[in-house]
């Protein structure tokens, strides 16, 4: 049997199924009865793709010098680069690649170490990347926003605090989780809180509190559901304080109530890892019957105020008339001028006047009016 091996090829010689040696480019002839077989491989196809165990090549130093062999362990992942460009990703197994025309580089990743460092390009985790389908079940991405911090855990054990950024972790051998904490100023709203005052009036209160997380570890490791804890703390303080004052006092001193609650919860800041900034009462919602009573009281108060103002004006008007009367009584000319003023006002409303006979016109007009 004759074989011709090109310059871009290599041959593997077998006899009776056993590997003998590699064949370089050239012409070869073998007697068929000796049961020789030649497997010709294209070295331009970088992968040395054969269906036998690579260990049978162990004694062929010439062939091994033209191959780069990588043995990937169970806990490893290997990135294969050809002339500096990522070509493929390999899991457990033994692989060989021709190094005759192109250069091979390998990056071995230990997946028992979860953190994926900066030396690995993150483009391979892009959903549009051809390698992503083979990786998506092997890693987790943690994206921390600029206003957040994240508490990182390996197998439920605290590792470190993450600042803003994108982080990638292998999850095949380690369970990686993260609790994100919003570091902005936040607001807790308490709506419809039913509270009884000292005078046995049951009302509903809408309250709010503004706060900010200052200790990420405390609110994550030491306190479970810290928002619920804040809620309950404020609720208890409100019930305690409002239960000791009357409804009228509450309506007059809403800001004082809010300041008291804020001062009390500030005592817990260091313990909870939270800074309390401001608190206030939004609404006091009264039962229907209490609201009707208060409206009746308010109407009565306004009517009483209106009556006081009316009486005050009547008194002032009467006093003014009295003073005018005294002046006119003491001064006849002033009296006469006032009389003429009234006649003028009356004449403005009269269309025409008919007088018969002679005499003083002004006296007759005076008598007429």
């Amino acid at each position: 049997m004759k074989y011709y091996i090109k310059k871009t090829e290599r041959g593997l010689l077998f006899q009776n199924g056993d590997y003998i040696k590699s064949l370089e480019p050239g012409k070869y002839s073998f007697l068929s009865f000796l049961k020789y077989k030649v497997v010709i491989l294209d070295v331009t196809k970088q992968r040395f793709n054969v269906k036998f165990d690579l260990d049978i090549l162990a004694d062929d130093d010439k062939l091994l010098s033209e191959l780069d062999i990588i043995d990937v362990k169970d806990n490893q992942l290997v990135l294969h680069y050809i002339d500096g460009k990522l070509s493929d990703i390999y899991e457990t197994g033994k692989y060989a690649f021709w190094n005759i025309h192109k250069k091979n580089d390998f990056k071995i990743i230990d997946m028992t170490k979860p953190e994926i460092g900066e030396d690995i390009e993150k483009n391979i985790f892009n959903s549009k990347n051809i390698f992503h389908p083979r990786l998506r079940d092997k890693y987790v991405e943690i994206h921390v926003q600029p206003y957040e911090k994240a508490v990182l855990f390996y197998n439920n054990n605290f590792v470190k605090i993450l600042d803003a950024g994108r982080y990638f972790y292998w999850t095949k051998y380690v369970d990686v989780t993260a609790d994100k904490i919003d570091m902005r100023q936040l607001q807790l709203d308490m709506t419809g809180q039913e509270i009884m005052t000292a005078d046995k009036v049951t009302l509903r209160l809408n309250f709010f509190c503004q706060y900010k997380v200052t200790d990420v570890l405390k609110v994550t490791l030491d306190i479970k559901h810290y928002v619920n804890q804040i809620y309950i703390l404020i609720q208890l303080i409100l019930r305690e304080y409002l239960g000791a004052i009357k409804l009228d006092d509450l309506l007059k001193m809403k800001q004082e109530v809010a300041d008291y609650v804020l001062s009390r919860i500030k005592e817990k800041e260091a313990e909870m890892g939270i800074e309390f900034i401001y608190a206030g009462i939004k609404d006091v919602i009264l039962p229907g019957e209490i609201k009707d009573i208060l409206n009746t009281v308010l109407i009565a108060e306004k009517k009483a105020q209106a009556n006081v103002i009316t009486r005050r004006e009547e008194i002032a008007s009467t006093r003014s008339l009295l003073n005018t009367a005294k002046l006119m009584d003491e001064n006849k000319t002033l009296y006469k001028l006032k009389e003429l003023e009234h006649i003028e006002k009356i004449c403005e409303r009269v269309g025409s006047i008919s007088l018969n006979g002679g005499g003083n016109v002004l006296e007759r007009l005076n008598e007429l009016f």
Side-chain angles (χ1 to χ4, degrees):
M1 296 183 68
K2 294 182 179 180
Y3 295 92
Y4 176 67
I5 300 174
K6 301 176 184 178
K7 290 182 180 180
T8 57
E9 296 175 336
R10 292 293 185 273
L12 303 180
L13 180 62
F14 292 84
Q15 185 180 27
N16 292 322
D18 295 326
Y19 176 72
I20 305 300
K21 65 177 181 177
S22 62
L23 304 175
E24 295 189 353
K27 294 181 179 180
Y28 298 90
S29 297
F30 300 97
L31 297 174
S32 58
F33 70 89
L34 294 177
K35 296 184 179 179
Y36 282 106
K37 180 183 177 182
V38 176
V39 177
I40 298 176
L41 301 175
D42 186 350
V43 299
T44 61
K45 295 180 180 178
Q46 204 70 8
R47 175 83 177 270
F48 182 81
N49 200 359
V50 292
K51 295 181 180 179
F52 54 79
D53 193 335
L54 292 176
D55 290 339
I56 67 173
L57 308 176
D59 297 327
D60 192 340
D61 294 336
K62 180 64 178 69
L63 179 61
L64 292 178
S65 67
E66 295 181 327
L67 292 175
D68 291 323
I69 299 177
I70 183 76
D71 190 3
V72 185
K73 302 294 189 290
D74 288 339
N75 63 329
Q76 292 178 336
L77 203 64
V78 171
L79 306 184
H80 176 211
Y81 295 83
I82 300 176
D83 289 341
K85 297 179 181 179
L86 182 62
S87 172
D88 211 338
I89 298 175
Y90 295 95
E91 297 183 66
T92 307
K94 200 168 188 178
Y95 309 90
F97 305 90
W98 297 107
N99 59 22
I100 299 171
H101 298 292
K102 295 181 180 180
K103 181 183 178 183
N104 298 300
D105 289 300
F106 304 96
K107 190 173 288 184
I108 301 174
I109 300 170
D110 185 354
M111 299 183 72
T112 61
K113 298 176 180 178
E115 188 168 357
I116 300 175
E118 295 298 325
D119 58 325
I120 298 176
E121 56 270 34
K122 303 305 183 291
N123 182 52
I124 62 175
F125 303 112
N126 191 314
S127 60
K128 296 180 180 179
N129 193 292
I130 59 172
F131 303 118
H132 182 263
R134 292 156 59 185
L135 294 174
R136 62 186 170 195
D137 296 330
K138 298 177 176 62
Y139 79 98
V140 65
E141 176 186 357
I142 298 172
H143 192 186
V144 184
Q145 299 291 347
Y147 51 84
E148 293 178 326
K149 288 186 182 296
V151 182
L152 181 66
F153 297 90
Y154 291 169
N155 295 330
N156 295 322
N157 294 314
F158 168 70
V159 178
K160 62 180 179 180
I161 297 175
L162 302 177
D163 293 320
R166 290 179 68 197
Y167 303 87
F168 297 86
Y169 298 91
W170 300 115
T171 56
K172 186 176 180 179
Y173 294 95
V174 178
D175 181 27
V176 179
T177 56
D179 288 346
K180 296 179 184 179
I181 304 297
D182 196 326
M183 303 302 292
R184 295 174 293 183
Q185 180 173 311
L186 305 173
Q187 179 166 306
L188 174 65
D189 288 299
M190 303 176 64
T191 58
Q193 286 294 305
E194 289 196 359
I195 298 175
M196 182 178 288
T197 60
D199 46 358
K200 308 303 180 185
V201 176
T202 301
L203 51 84
R204 286 189 294 131
L205 198 69
N206 292 338
F207 193 86
F208 73 94
C209 173
Q210 295 171 342
Y211 66 95
K212 191 175 184 179
V213 174
T214 56
D215 192 327
V216 177
L217 289 182
K218 275 190 178 296
V219 299
T220 306
L221 302 180
D222 297 342
I223 302 174
K224 185 177 181 181
H225 305 311
Y226 70 93
V227 176
N228 291 345
Q229 302 246 12
I230 296 173
Y231 190 98
I232 293 172
L233 177 63
I234 295 174
Q235 187 183 56
L236 292 176
I237 294 172
L238 278 172
R239 291 183 184 280
E240 174 191 347
Y241 188 73
L242 297 184
I245 64 174
K246 295 182 178 181
L247 176 61
D248 290 343
D249 296 331
L250 168 61
L251 297 177
K252 293 175 184 176
M253 50 189 286
K254 290 194 289 184
Q255 188 55 50
E256 287 82 350
V257 173
D259 292 341
Y260 174 79
V261 174
L262 183 61
S263 65
R264 286 287 305 275
I265 59 179
K266 271 188 166 294
E267 297 172 2
K268 300 287 185 178
E269 284 185 337
E271 180 182 333
M272 300 184 73
I274 294 170
E275 177 190 0
F276 295 102
I277 301 168
Y278 187 74
I281 296 175
K282 282 185 177 180
D283 305 293
V284 177
I285 304 169
L286 301 173
E289 59 273 15
I290 299 296
K291 191 182 297 184
D292 293 340
I293 293 171
L294 289 179
N295 287 336
T296 303
V297 172
L298 180 61
I299 292 171
E301 288 178 351
K302 294 303 179 184
K303 283 184 177 179
Q305 291 175 5
N307 289 334
V308 169
I309 294 171
T310 302
R311 298 293 179 270
R312 189 184 298 123
E313 293 299 323
E314 288 176 352
I315 292 171
S317 177
T318 303
R319 187 179 291 115
S320 177
L321 289 173
L322 179 61
N323 292 335
T324 303
K326 286 181 179 180
L327 287 173
M328 288 191 296
D329 187 52
E330 295 171 358
N331 192 324
K332 298 300 181 181
T333 303
L334 179 61
Y335 179 83
K336 204 67 176 177
L337 288 173
K338 195 68 175 175
E339 188 178 61
L340 291 173
E341 181 182 335
H342 281 286
I343 292 172
E344 180 184 2
K345 289 182 179 179
I346 293 170
C347 288
E348 288 176 356
R349 299 176 179 273
V350 175
S352 62
I353 301 174
S354 299
L355 296 174
N356 298 319
N360 191 316
V361 175
L362 185 60
E363 289 180 359
R364 294 190 64 188
L365 286 172
N366 187 32
E367 291 173 1
L368 179 63
F369 292 117

